Structures are given as C-alpha cells and as structure tokens.
C-alpha cells in the first residue's frame, strides 16, 4: 500500500515475486493500476487520502474476529497498559485540543502509573481503560459500509484484503507491508504508518522474518542523510535539536533522557547523554570539556514549536526574510509544492550556492520562462559536482546496511565531491573569522573541522574514538583508537563519535566494515536470507530490529521454520539479538521493544502530534464535503502556510471536482533534474502526461494523446492525456469520483518535456513531519486549445 | 548448488578476472562475445553503489586507462544479484553524459549570462557571502532573552545524493554557523 515497488524500487520487487512463487499472497492497494498491480495476486484501487479508513476497517476486522496473536499482544505490546482518565475521544477530536493553537496537550494521553511510577497493566485486557479496550472502541466506528463509502473500495474487496492479511496473525505466518511516499505524503502521513504499526503489532508481525513495515526509501542515500541528519529538527543519531528552553547542556540532557522505573524495561535512550556528549566531542574536539558543557552553548537553539522545514523556509523567503543559502543535489523548483510560489520566492535571495551535475530548474531559476533576468537580483554560484563513480565513501540502504563505494575514475572536467565543497568554503570562513573577528566567532573557530575531505578518515570519525587511554571489557585502548561499539561511549569526554548508531562500523579489530563482501552465513541465517558478514548494519550489525519479539518468553522462536534468533545452551544464536539479556521467563530479561520508554510495541502512541490512535480525516483539498467518521473534516492539526499564493479550494468545490495524485517513474528520479539529462532515460519517458479513465475522458471530450490543461486553484499545467483503464472511477459517498495521476519529473530546462506538476499541489503538511500532501489535491482537466510547454 | 560469480569464474578454470561468457563456451553469438571482450578485457573492476533509490544496488565500473568503459550490476551483492533497473542500467551514460557541467559558473546580480570562474574564486566569494550574512543576521538572543545563536536568514537544502561522510560534515558546518533552516529529500 502507498507504494508501486515494481516501478520505483524494481530490484526490491524481485524478492516479492520470489515470495509469491513460494506461495505468498501479494496484494496491491493503490489508486492506480501499475506494474506492481499486474504482478500481484490482485489490485484494489482506493481513493487517495483514505488509507486510514481502509486500515481502520482492518483493525476492526482483526479485533471483531479475534484474529490477533494474543500472547504477543499481551506480552510485547502496550495493549494491556491502562491509560489515564484524562484520555478521551469525541467526534473526531482527542482530549486536550486547543483550537486557538491548533495543537494537543499530549499530557492528557499518558498512562496510569502505580506507586513506583510503572505503568499499570491488565493482562486480561478487560479493564475499560486499557489500550486494548480503547482501541476496540475507537475502531468500532470503522464498519465496512462507512469504509467502503469513504475509500471507494467495494465491501467484497475490503473483506478479501482483510481476510488474507489477518491470516498472518498466526505464530507460524508472517505478513509484511511495503510502503513509500504514497503513505508519507499526506496531512495524515504519520498516522497512515501508525495504522500499519497497530496492525502488525496485533498480528505479531514485527521482529520476525518476513514481517515488519518496510519503508521503501526513495532516494539514493536518504537513510544515511537522515541518520547524519540534513534536517532541522534533529541532530545526528535521532536526538532532538536543542531549543531555546534548553539553555545549558544539563538542561538538554535532563529534558531528553527518558526515565523508566520498570526494571524490566531496557529504556535504551537512558544512554542518550553518552551519545550526545560524544557527538559534541566530535564536533568541537579538544575545546569540548565536561566543564564547559562540551561547547553546547555555541550551538544554535531553535525556537520551541517553530518549524524550519521547506514549506516554512520558502514561505519566509517569499516574505523576503531569507538572505541566502545553499541548494545541492536537489531541485526544489520542481519538487516542492506550489512551484509558482517557490520559484518567485527564490528571486528574493541575495545569493544562492548550488551544486549539481547539470543545469536544473533550480540553478537556472533566474532565467525561467516569463522572467526577465535583468529583474532578478540573486548572485548565483553553480558548482559542478562529482558523480557516484567519481568519488568514494559510504551510503546506507533502506535496510540500514552501511555500504562502501569506491572511486573508479577522476571527476569529469572540474567537478568535485560535495565534501570538497563544504571543506572549501568552511576553511575560508574560519580563516576570515580568525583574521577579522565578527559575531560569535568562537562557534565557528572552535569547531574541529577537517582541513581536507577524506571519506575514509571521516568514516572512522563517525564510528568514534577514545580521547584518552581506556580499558573496555579488559581490553586496553589508547587515546585516538577506535571505539569497538556504542556501549563504549561515555559522557565524561573520554570518547567522540559523529553518530552513535554507527559506532562499531569501523573498529581496530576489523577495520572498515562497510567494505566487507563475505556471503558466509550459518544455516540458520541462510534459512531467512541474512548476510551478517556482507557490509555492516546499524545498530551493532543487527539485521532485524526488535527480533526478541520473534521468540516466546522462554526464548523459543514462535516460528521455528523461520527462526530469527533462539536461546540455546545459555546464549542467543542467529541474528544479533535486540539486547543480550536472557529470555523473559528467567526473570532477568527485558521487554523486547527497547527503544520505547516502557519497552512495549506501541499500539497506543501518545507521542504523536495528532493523537495516540489513527483517525480518518479527509485530505485538505477533498472532493467530499463531509467526513463519514466525525464532524472534523480535515486533520485538526495539519500544518500550512498562508501567503496570498497559498490558496486552497473549498471542500467539494465544483470547479475542482477531480482528485489528483502524483508519482515518480522508473526512468526518472524525483524532480528529474538529473535523469532528464540522460538521453536513454529521456527517450524512454520523454514527456509529461496525465493518466485518466476512459469514463472521465469521455465526460470531458478528451481522446488519448490529446494535449490537456490540468488546473488547480494555484496553477495550471500542460500534459498529454493518457486515457487508460489503469485509473478507475470510484464510488464515493454514493456518487462517482474521478482520480487522475501525473508524474512530476519534467521541467522547462529540458525543452518540450513539460513543466512542474507541482504548480498544482498545495503547501499543507503532516503535523509530525511537515511532509507536504503531494498525493491528494483537487483539480480539473480540459482539452487544450494550444500547447506551449510540450513539444508536439 | 548456488554459484556466486567469483566461484563460477574459478570453476570455469580461469584465473583471469575478465573473461567473457563467450570465451567460456556459453551460447552467445560469437560477434557479441568478441565485442564484449574488447570492451572490458584488461579493465579494472571497481565496485560502486547505484545513486538512485535506497535498495542500493551494487554496480561494477570497468576502468581502462583511467576511463570508464562500461558498467554492469554486481552479481555478488546478495540484494541485486547483478540485476539493475532502467536508472541503474544507465549508470554509464549518466557518468559520461555530455550535459554534465564542466566548470564552476557564476551569475552576477541582474546578469543574463553565466560566467566561468575558478573554484578558488568561487570559494573565496562564497565564504565572504556566508560570513557577511552571519555577522549581520546571527540572532544571539530571542525576544525572551534566551541565548539562541541562530542564523535564520541562511539555509541549507540537500542532499540525499551525498554520502554519509559528506552529510556528517555538512551538518557540522551548518550548526557551527548557526543555521536552522535545513532540509532535504527526506521530507519530500
């Protein structure tokens, strides 16, 4: 669901097909019939933005028919925990909602604690306020009729999917869900995934072979770039970005280190101070000491609750509040919503540094069609970047494997790696501060920043080093030597590491493990396709997270045929266990979900911005005027910006009655800035098109191959009509609703191919992630009188 | 018995790294086999990772006299087992594309053309722009008097194309400067 893996992650899909050959049922639930659908057992089309209704119906089905994995649910999830009396849910709103700030007071959703501060549990699952009962009540509203009418999926198809998937609730069966941007790019994106999390926990499908929720990350190193964090809200290793309320190192540590009073909970984040102090040591080197809070004072502090993501950045740029910046390996003039606005916003910059393989809509924005360059003040730097084969370093795949790529050839012409670029200007900025002084020069000058870009050395620095002679488990390490694992990291300044998750990847004992290429494995590992000696996987080479949930309280695999780990002769065998404690039944074990404070899989998730359970809300632009599940039409907490160019159409606006969804293509990557410059890829997918059903085409008088105009309240786009049964009209709220689909990879710098589809999409985002709602907005379509953007 | 590529080569009784299937007597048209041999024989094999999507298929680059002569999927990597999609298969053209930027380019304010500049010139000018912006706009305290040390008027966008090591120093540089507007493809 929410993925077209056969086209967007083609190589991943060959493993799905192998599973199918072995008897697995493969189901594709997605608005569009694609090559994924063609190779699945069956395809179920649904209306974009209604996944929670679909999945809520499945949760109800599993609960009503008691198809869940009871022992797993009771022992390993928070289903048995008692929720406090302040929790409530009424007509689409959870308790604690403040309409003025459009936010929830999450303290209303906490668990009830006993005298020792440990959450109360009722393992019989009968207590009226236990998570299980609250969940049952919450999803009782997701009956087949309401779900069918909302999603446009027939009752028969709903039951077919529910029945097949719920059958994996047995100990000897596993089910997996593959999702991608089809789930994240909604104002309820996180709750789409939460719904899947609830289902997988109910069915005991997390931590087991062939289970899980697989995020098919779409970008080349998006896992690594998230771990190492080119994002505003976190710092490397998934720790919070300091904010103004945490003025000192001690404030930060206190506010960010969870405490559990339950001796059975590993509460792994209790070690956070060690990871944070080691990161600051890696950033500020010798200058960082315990006495000065490891130079914490110099770090920027974001304003608590403020959002600094794309959507808000471009809004501030549009309002003339941003002076300059750097855009590398990214084409936001094509890939960010409401392109007409962001293209205009970029004109307001004084300076812009870009680095790319080719010219793109972003690098050349100052001379885009319809704009006189003589009116654009921006000073633009365009640096030629090296391609993958022209540089070495590591990347991290979707399964968290750390993989080394070697340099094959020198960079073409005068191209350089991004790394050289950062070192190049930072070295000079430091020189200028040394010479001239300036505002808070210490923050820049005290950085332990490399003089030259050396990926091998940086890979070691990411792993981490001892900053003084240390003994770990009887073994002596000298100052400067590599730490063997994150368990060796300390908060006293004796270790440094650019990312605790990667500690153990580059060691004195085994060198750079990203380079390992051995396919050797034990028969037990071979049985489930684990390759523990190929490269390395974070954390600590554990290939399947939360794998202790795959065994019973005695450490015996629930499914011996597909064992991930097993307690044998006093130790764990198989994968690296998620914590080495003995099985739970010994009384010395720990709950398997070690990263959550209480140790349980979180069916109830009180940490999210939009509620502890998922709830269906319509997309912000929706073809219907009411929500079948409550009076609350849209998410009460979705994010938005509100310049005069950020128009939204009204619910069920007759001018824009058609749902638009957008997607990638096998042949093009993201905004297309690179792949359109590859002749063979452009030849395969040369032009912007719009897929529509024959029924809609007939209604609009459009023939296959016609040039058409697609319009939203924000903009208009030319495309070639592709009339196809791959798009189906859906019966929603008792009437027919049409959905169309378009790629978004074409742009004006490749003449005749078309221009940004994102001129149509709105700047509204998920309240947890601010990922924009690219997957559902409202448009209209008509035959074009003439075409200017497309070659004919 | 499952053979990986290296073992296949070994069993085929060849010590040379780059014999083509044609030479091993596997039924390929002789002309095709000859052509393949010409292309990669004597070439150095270098392992890289496809730069598109997080399946991270392994690709072998064949290098002869410092030039890339061919690319193909790495049959040993347990995930792609030699297979590649359309984008991965275009790795060679991608690297050698005639659309590649050749030199650093500079566009002066209100100008309608690019000018070629040296890297040194560009770095100096960029460093000056960054420092001036930071000196002017760094916010030391917020309205409540909290120390915040943030530079809101400058940003970094991108990129998941960067390797881990590049991301790590990009993040460090930005936080050192006080940058808070930072984002990339993970949020697209």
């Amino acid at each position: 669901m929410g993925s077209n893996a056969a086209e967007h992650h083609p190589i991943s899909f060959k493993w799905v097909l192998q599973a199918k050959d072995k008897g697995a049922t493969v189901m594709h639930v997605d608005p569009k019939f694609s090559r994924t659908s063609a190779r699945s057992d069956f395809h179920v089309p649904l209306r974009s933005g209604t996944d929670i209704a679909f999945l809520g119906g499945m949760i109800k089905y599993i609960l009503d028919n008691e198809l869940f994995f009871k022992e797993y649910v009771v022992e390993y999830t928070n289903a048995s925990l008692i929720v406090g009396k302040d929790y409530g849910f009424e007509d689409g709103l959870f308790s604690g909602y403040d309409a003025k700030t459009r936010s929830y007071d999450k303290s209303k959703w906490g668990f009830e604690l006993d005298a020792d501060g440990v959450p109360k549990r009722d393992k019989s699952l009968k207590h009226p306020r236990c998570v299980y009962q609250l969940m049952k009540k919450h999803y009782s509203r997701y009956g087949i009729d309401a779900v069918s009418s909302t999603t446009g999926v027939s009752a028969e198809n709903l039951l077919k999917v529910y029945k097949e998937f719920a059958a994996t609730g047995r100990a000897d069966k596993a089910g997996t869900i593959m999702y991608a941007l089809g789930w994240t790019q909604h104002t309820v994106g996180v709750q789409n995934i939460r719904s899947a999390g609830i289902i997988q926990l109910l069915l005991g499908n997390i931590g087991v072979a062939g289970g899980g929720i697989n995020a098919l990350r779409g970008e080349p190193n998006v896992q690594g770039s998230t771990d190492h964090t080119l994002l505003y809200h976190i710092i490397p290793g998934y720790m919070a970005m300091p904010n103004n309320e945490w003025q000192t190192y001690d404030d930060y540590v206190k506010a960010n280190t969870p405490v559990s009073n339950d001796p059975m909970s590993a509460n792994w984040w209790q070690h956070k101070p060690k990871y944070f102090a080691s990161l600051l040591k890696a950033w500020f080197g010798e200058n960082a000491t315990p006495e000065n809070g490891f130079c914490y004072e110099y770090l920027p502090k974001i304003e608590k609750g403020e959002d600094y993501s794309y959507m808000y950045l471009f809004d501030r740029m549009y309002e003339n509040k941003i002076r300059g910046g750097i855009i590398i390996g990214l084409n936001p003039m094509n890939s960010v919503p409401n392109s007409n606005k962001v293209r205009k916003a970029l004109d307001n910059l004084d300076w812009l540094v870009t680095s790319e393989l080719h010219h793109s809509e972003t690098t050349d924005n100052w001379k885009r069609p319809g704009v006189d360059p003589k009116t654009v003040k921006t000073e633009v730097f365009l640096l030629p970047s090296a391609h993958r084969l022209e540089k070495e370093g590591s990347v991290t795949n979707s399964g968290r494997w750390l993989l080394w790529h070697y340099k094959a050839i020198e960079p073409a012409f005068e191209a350089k790696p991004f790394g050289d670029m950062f070192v190049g200007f930072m070295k000079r900025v430091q020189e200028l501060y040394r010479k001239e002084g300036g505002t808070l020069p210490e923050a820049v000058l005290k950085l332990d920043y490399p003089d030259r870009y050396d990926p091998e050395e940086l890979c070691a620095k990411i792993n981490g080093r001892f900053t003084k002679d240390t003994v770990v488990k009887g073994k002596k390490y000298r100052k400067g030597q590599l730490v063997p694992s994150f368990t060796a990291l300390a908060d006293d300044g004796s270790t440094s590491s650019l990312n605790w998750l990667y500690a153990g990847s580059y060691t004195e004992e085994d060198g750079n493990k990203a380079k390992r290429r051995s396919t050797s494995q034990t028969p037990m590992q071979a049985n489930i396709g684990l390759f523990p000696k190929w490269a390395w996987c974070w954390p600590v080479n554990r290939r399947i997270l939360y794998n202790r949930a795959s065994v019973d309280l005695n450490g015996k695999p629930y499914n011996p045929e597909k064992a991930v780990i097993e307690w044998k002769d006093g130790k764990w065998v198989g994968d690296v266990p998620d914590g080495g404690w003995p099985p739970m039944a010994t009384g010395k074990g720990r709950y398997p979900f070690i990263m959550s404070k209480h140790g349980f899989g979180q069916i109830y998730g009180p940490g999210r911005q939009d509620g502890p359970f998922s709830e269906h809300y319509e997309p912000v632009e929706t073809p219907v005027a009411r929500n079948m599940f409550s009076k609350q039409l849209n998410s009460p907490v979705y994010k938005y910006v509100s310049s005069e160019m950020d128009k939204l159409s009204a619910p069920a606006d007759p001018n824009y009655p058609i749902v638009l969804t957008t997607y990638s293509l096998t042949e093009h990557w993201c905004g297309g800035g690179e792949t359109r410059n590859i002749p063979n890829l452009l030849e395969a997918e040369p032009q912007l098109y719009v897929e529509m059903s024959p029924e809609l085409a007939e209604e609009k008088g459009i023939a296959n191959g016609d040039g058409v105009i697609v319009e939203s309240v924000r903009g208009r786009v030319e495309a070639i009509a592709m009339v196809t049964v791959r798009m189906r009209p859906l019966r929603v709220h008792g009437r027919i609703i049409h959905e169309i689909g378009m790629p978004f990879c074409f742009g004006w710098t490749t003449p005749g191919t078309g221009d940004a589809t994102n001129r149509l999409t709105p700047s509204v985002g998920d309240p947890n992630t601010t990922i924009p709602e690219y997957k559902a907005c409202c448009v209209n379509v008509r035959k074009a009188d003439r075409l200017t953007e497309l070659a004919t | 018995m499952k053979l990986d590529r290296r073992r296949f080569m070994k069993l085929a009784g060849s010590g040379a790294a780059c014999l083509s299937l044609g030479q091993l007597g596997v039924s390929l048209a002789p002309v095709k086999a000859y052509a393949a041999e010409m292309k990669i024989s004597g070439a150095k094999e270098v392992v890289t990772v496809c730069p598109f999507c997080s399946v991270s298929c392994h690709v072998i680059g064949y290098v002869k006299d410092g030039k890339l002569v061919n690319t193909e999927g790495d049959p040993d990597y347990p995930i792609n087992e030699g297979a590649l999609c359309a984008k991965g298969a275009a790795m060679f053209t991608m690297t050698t594309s005639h659309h590649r930027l050749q030199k650093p380019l500079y566009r002066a304010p209100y100008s309608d053309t690019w000018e070629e500049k040296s890297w040194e010139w560009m770095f100096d000018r960029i460093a000056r722009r960054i420092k001036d912006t930071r000196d002017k706009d760094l916010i030391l305290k917020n309205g409540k008097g909290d120390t915040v040390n943030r530079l809101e008027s400058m940003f970094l966008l991108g990129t998941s194309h960067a390797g881990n090591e590049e991301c790590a120093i990009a993040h460090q540089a930005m936080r050192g400067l006080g940058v808070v507007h930072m984002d990339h493809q993970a949020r697209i």
Side-chain angles (χ1 to χ4, degrees):
Chain A
M1 263 181 99
S3 152
N4 173 8
E7 292 179 42
H8 302 155
H9 301 82
I11 304 302
S12 77
F13 203 66
K14 81 178 189 161
W15 298 101
V16 176
L17 295 179
Q18 281 203 12
K20 194 174 168 222
D21 288 345
K22 286 184 179 171
T25 303
V26 180
M27 303 177 276
H28 191 216
V29 183
D30 199 70
K32 183 183 80 152
F33 184 94
S34 61
R35 279 172 275 196
T36 302
S37 326
R39 288 287 168 271
S40 297
D41 285 273
F42 54 89
H43 171 239
V44 172
L46 90 168
R47 173 169 63 102
S48 283
T50 62
D51 302 71
I52 291 174
F54 187 98
L55 297 168
M58 191 184 310
I59 296 170
K60 177 172 158 54
Y61 179 88
I62 292 167
L63 296 174
D64 286 354
N65 296 289
E66 297 197 13
L67 297 168
F68 54 94
F69 187 167
K70 185 137 189 230
E71 182 179 313
Y72 185 107
V73 167
V74 170
E75 299 295 342
Y76 297 154
T77 78
N78 66 12
S80 67
L81 272 61
I82 315 287
V83 176
K85 292 192 176 81
D86 288 343
Y87 167 81
F89 178 80
E90 211 175 315
D91 208 7
L93 291 173
F94 294 92
S95 52
Y97 184 65
D98 179 347
K100 218 172 105 197
T101 59
R102 289 174 55 84
S103 66
Y104 282 109
D105 171 5
K106 287 183 275 183
S107 70
K108 302 279 184 210
W109 308 337
F111 293 113
E112 204 162 276
L113 306 177
D114 68 14
D116 297 325
V118 176
K120 288 186 190 167
R121 290 173 78 181
D122 173 17
K123 286 197 181 187
S124 75
L125 305 181
K126 292 204 171 100
H127 189 288
R129 273 185 292 108
C130 78
V131 165
Y132 176 82
Q133 292 297 337
L134 295 179
M135 165 174 55
K136 216 171 162 176
K137 189 173 165 210
H138 186 83
Y139 293 104
S140 66
R141 299 168 297 125
Y142 287 74
I144 294 290
D145 290 344
V147 171
S148 174
S149 176
T150 298
T151 58
V153 180
S154 68
E156 187 196 349
N157 273 346
L158 286 172
L159 288 168
K160 198 156 112 183
V161 177
Y162 295 172
K163 194 175 159 214
E164 282 290 344
F165 202 74
T168 67
R170 283 168 36 179
D172 61 346
K173 290 282 176 206
T176 192
I177 300 174
M178 294 164 74
Y179 80 89
L181 305 180
W183 267 2
T184 58
Q185 293 177 338
H186 291 282
T187 44
V188 293
V190 166
Q191 296 292 355
N192 283 335
I193 299 153
R194 284 265 315 131
S195 308
I198 293 170
I199 289 168
Q200 290 296 61
L201 286 169
L202 283 172
L203 299 174
N205 280 338
I206 300 284
V208 307
I213 305 166
N214 292 288
L216 296 175
R217 307 211 64 177
E219 321 284 346
N221 186 30
V222 78
Q223 186 62 52
S225 60
T226 306
D227 301 339
H228 298 287
T229 320
L230 299 175
L231 295 163
Y232 84 86
H233 67 292
I234 45 175
I235 55 176
Y238 300 94
M239 294 183 278
M241 176 63 192
N243 73 38
N244 62 302
E245 292 194 351
W246 310 325
Q247 286 281 292
T248 66
Y249 172 82
D250 290 338
D251 293 344
Y252 180 93
V253 162
K254 195 171 166 217
N256 286 285
T257 313
V259 177
S260 164
N261 294 330
D262 187 344
M264 298 288 276
S265 174
N267 182 29
W268 198 264
W269 278 118
Q270 66 177 291
H271 302 292
K272 197 179 283 180
K274 300 170 191 170
Y275 311 149
F276 185 53
S278 297
L279 175 64
L280 294 175
K281 274 301 283 180
W283 278 352
F284 293 101
E286 299 281 315
N287 295 313
T289 65
E291 293 72 35
N292 67 14
F294 303 105
C295 292
Y296 176 83
E297 61 174 307
Y298 298 125
L299 291 181
K301 319 285 183 296
I302 56 175
E303 199 67 21
K304 193 186 176 200
E306 193 49 87
D307 193 314
Y308 301 89
S309 67
Y310 287 114
M311 222 165 83
Y312 290 84
L313 168 64
F314 281 111
D315 193 53
R316 286 170 197 145
M317 207 183 287
Y318 185 77
E319 302 293 340
N320 243 317
K321 291 175 184 159
I322 306 291
R323 208 183 288 273
I326 303 170
I327 306 180
I328 59 169
L330 189 88
N331 191 10
M333 297 304 106
N334 248 30
S335 57
V336 165
N338 203 0
S339 317
N340 286 329
K341 176 188 170 190
V342 302
R343 288 173 173 189
K344 226 171 147 181
L346 206 70
D347 293 342
N348 289 338
L349 293 179
D350 289 343
W351 59 272
L352 172 66
V353 178
T354 61
S355 183
E356 292 293 335
L357 293 167
H358 318 99
H359 290 277
S360 74
E361 287 69 33
T362 300
T363 65
D364 290 23
N365 186 58
W366 51 273
K367 56 169 171 173
R368 67 187 181 278
V371 167
D372 177 3
K374 294 198 165 60
T375 63
V376 180
K377 65 174 178 178
T378 316
E379 182 176 24
V380 186
F381 304 86
L382 173 51
L383 304 170
S385 63
H387 195 44
R388 183 60 60 82
L389 277 153
E390 298 165 348
K391 58 182 186 179
E392 67 168 351
S394 73
V395 293
T396 307
N397 76 7
S398 220
R400 310 178 317 282
W401 298 18
L402 178 66
L403 305 163
W404 194 261
H405 61 89
Y406 296 83
K407 178 175 168 177
I409 47 170
E410 288 303 317
F413 312 107
E414 290 187 25
K416 284 183 194 292
F418 297 126
D420 283 309
M421 190 188 85
F422 282 100
V423 172
F425 70 72
M426 271 309 277
K427 215 165 59 180
R428 284 168 174 80
V429 172
Q430 285 186 316
E431 274 164 26
L432 288 175
Y433 272 103
R434 223 171 277 128
K435 258 195 282 183
E436 302 172 0
T439 311
L440 194 67
E442 300 90 335
V444 179
L445 291 174
K446 289 193 187 232
L447 287 180
D448 179 21
Y449 206 75
D451 289 332
R452 65 186 191 90
Y453 176 60
D454 177 352
E456 189 78 43
E457 157 56 24
L458 278 166
C459 200
K461 191 174 175 182
I462 288 170
N463 176 83
R465 292 193 162 100
F466 293 101
T467 62
K468 56 183 172 203
D469 294 356
T470 309
V471 177
V472 179
K473 289 183 188 158
K475 192 170 171 180
K476 257 181 106 167
Y477 290 89
R478 288 190 314 278
K479 177 181 173 178
Q481 285 196 308
L482 297 158
V483 300
S485 151
F486 55 63
T487 54
L489 296 178
D491 63 357
D492 60 0
S494 63
T495 56
S496 76
S497 166
L498 278 171
N499 195 324
W500 71 278
L501 289 169
Y502 285 78
S505 63
Y506 199 141
T507 62
E508 296 295 332
E509 295 77 13
D510 300 310
N512 185 348
K513 296 182 197 170
K515 295 179 176 174
R516 297 194 303 181
R517 281 175 68 88
S518 166
T519 51
S520 71
Q521 50 192 175
T522 65
M524 185 179 171
Q525 290 160 345
N527 186 45
I528 57 166
L530 290 191
F531 292 90
K533 294 193 172 162
W534 189 287
W536 183 86
C537 174
W538 71 254
V540 293
N541 207 27
R542 180 179 303 131
R543 304 281 163 148
I544 297 182
L545 292 176
Y546 302 123
N547 52 27
R548 280 192 301 113
S550 71
V551 297
D552 67 15
L553 299 179
N554 293 305
K556 293 290 157 210
Y558 281 126
N559 180 4
E561 298 292 308
K562 295 275 179 197
V564 180
I565 57 166
E566 182 173 5
W567 184 256
K568 239 180 181 167
D569 308 322
K571 64 175 187 171
W572 292 106
V573 293
D575 193 10
V576 177
D578 222 323
W581 304 280
M584 299 287 293
T586 63
K588 293 176 194 151
R590 299 283 185 277
Y591 301 127
F593 289 87
I594 62 171
M595 299 312 286
S596 72
K597 182 165 134 179
H598 301 303
F600 298 107
Q602 302 186 75
I603 284 176
Y604 181 83
R608 301 281 66 82
Q609 304 295 339
D610 42 1
F613 291 121
S614 57
E615 172 69 5
H616 171 74
Y617 301 110
E618 286 292 323
V620 170
E621 280 194 339
T622 168
V624 300
R626 68 187 184 93
N627 179 352
M628 305 285 278
F629 297 93
S630 73
K631 282 203 195 97
Q632 187 66 37
L633 184 66
N634 313 117
S635 162
V637 291
Y638 78 80
K639 291 200 170 185
Y640 64 98
V641 288
S642 47
S643 76
E644 74 274 9
M645 287 187 81
D646 285 293
K647 293 178 203 140
L648 294 169
S649 60
D653 187 334
N655 296 316
Y656 305 103
I658 301 165
V659 177
L660 167 73
T661 193
T662 62
Y663 36 76
S664 293
L665 299 171
T666 312
E667 291 79 3
H668 289 292
W669 186 69
C670 213
E674 291 173 70
T675 44
R676 271 182 275 124
N677 285 291
I678 315 306
N680 34 348
L681 294 177
L682 186 65
E683 190 177 339
E685 284 289 0
Q687 212 167 35
L688 182 57
Y689 58 83
V690 50
E691 293 185 72
M692 64 178 75
S693 68
E695 292 84 349
L696 176 62
E698 195 187 330
E699 197 179 292
K700 297 284 181 184
I702 294 168
N704 190 37
D706 279 353
V708 299
I709 306 285
V710 185
E711 272 173 311
S712 77
V713 71
R714 290 161 295 279
R716 59 199 288 279
V717 173
E718 292 177 8
I720 299 296
M722 188 183 284
V723 180
T724 167
V725 291
R726 290 193 292 267
M727 300 303 297
R728 302 306 310 135
L730 297 168
R731 180 159 286 278
V732 172
H733 289 210
R735 65 190 172 91
I736 292 296
I737 282 182
H738 292 288
E739 178 152 343
I740 60 175
M742 294 171 80
F744 67 96
C745 56
F746 297 100
W748 64 267
T749 61
T750 314
T753 63
D755 200 6
T757 299
N758 277 316
R759 287 175 290 175
L760 302 170
T761 54
S763 293
V764 294
D766 179 279
N768 301 283
T769 63
T770 331
I771 290 178
E773 192 155 70
Y774 296 92
K775 293 298 184 202
C777 69
C778 288
V779 297
N780 210 341
V781 58
R782 63 185 157 86
K783 197 168 164 170
D785 298 332
R786 74 188 182 98
L787 295 172
T788 57
E789 298 174 356
L790 293 163
T792 49
Chain B
M1 182 181 178
K2 203 179 159 191
L3 287 181
D4 65 31
R5 177 171 168 274
R6 310 289 153 181
R7 230 174 304 153
F8 172 73
M9 287 294 183
K10 227 168 150 184
L11 285 172
S14 163
C18 299
L19 277 181
S20 70
L21 292 171
Q23 286 169 302
L24 295 171
V26 177
S27 63
L28 285 175
V31 173
K32 208 165 144 195
Y34 177 70
E37 187 218 339
M38 291 297 282
K39 202 168 173 185
I40 62 171
S41 74
K44 188 173 74 174
E45 293 184 7
V46 183
V47 173
T48 190
V49 180
C50 173
F52 293 106
C53 117
S54 281
V55 176
S56 296
C57 297
H58 281 24
V59 178
I60 298 173
Y62 291 89
V63 182
K64 225 156 111 177
D65 305 323
K67 279 208 171 73
L68 188 69
V69 293
N70 191 36
T71 58
E72 65 180 41
D74 177 356
D76 291 347
Y77 182 51
I79 295 175
N80 67 310
E81 296 179 325
L84 293 172
C85 77
K87 284 194 292 294
M91 194 79 169
F92 178 76
T93 343
M94 220 172 267
T95 312
T96 56
S97 161
H98 59 279
H99 291 296
R100 287 279 299 269
L101 286 164
Q102 304 198 1
K103 288 176 190 295
L105 296 177
Y106 174 75
R107 186 258 173 182
Y110 305 107
S111 165
D112 58 0
T113 53
W114 290 109
E115 300 163 52
E116 290 183 359
K117 295 282 182 189
S118 73
W119 275 93
E120 295 299 306
W121 188 92
M122 295 287 261
F123 279 150
D124 285 341
R125 180 93 192 148
I126 292 166
R128 173 49 66 197
R129 278 300 208 173
I130 291 174
K131 180 169 188 287
D132 289 352
T133 300
R134 184 175 182 274
D135 282 347
K136 208 178 284 175
D137 294 344
L138 191 73
I139 303 169
L140 298 175
K141 303 251 182 211
N142 68 2
K144 294 179 212 151
D146 301 330
T147 299
V148 293
N149 297 339
R150 62 177 184 246
L151 178 56
E152 293 181 356
S153 68
M154 178 186 156
F155 63 89
L156 170 68
L157 293 180
T159 176
S160 64
H161 267 312
N164 292 329
E165 298 75 23
E166 292 172 321
C167 294
I169 58 166
H171 187 107
Q172 186 190 4
M174 290 306 117
R175 296 313 193 192
L177 294 170
V179 168
V180 289
H181 284 110
M182 180 152 63
D183 216 339
H184 79 296
Q185 285 95 340
R187 216 184 294 275
I188 286 189

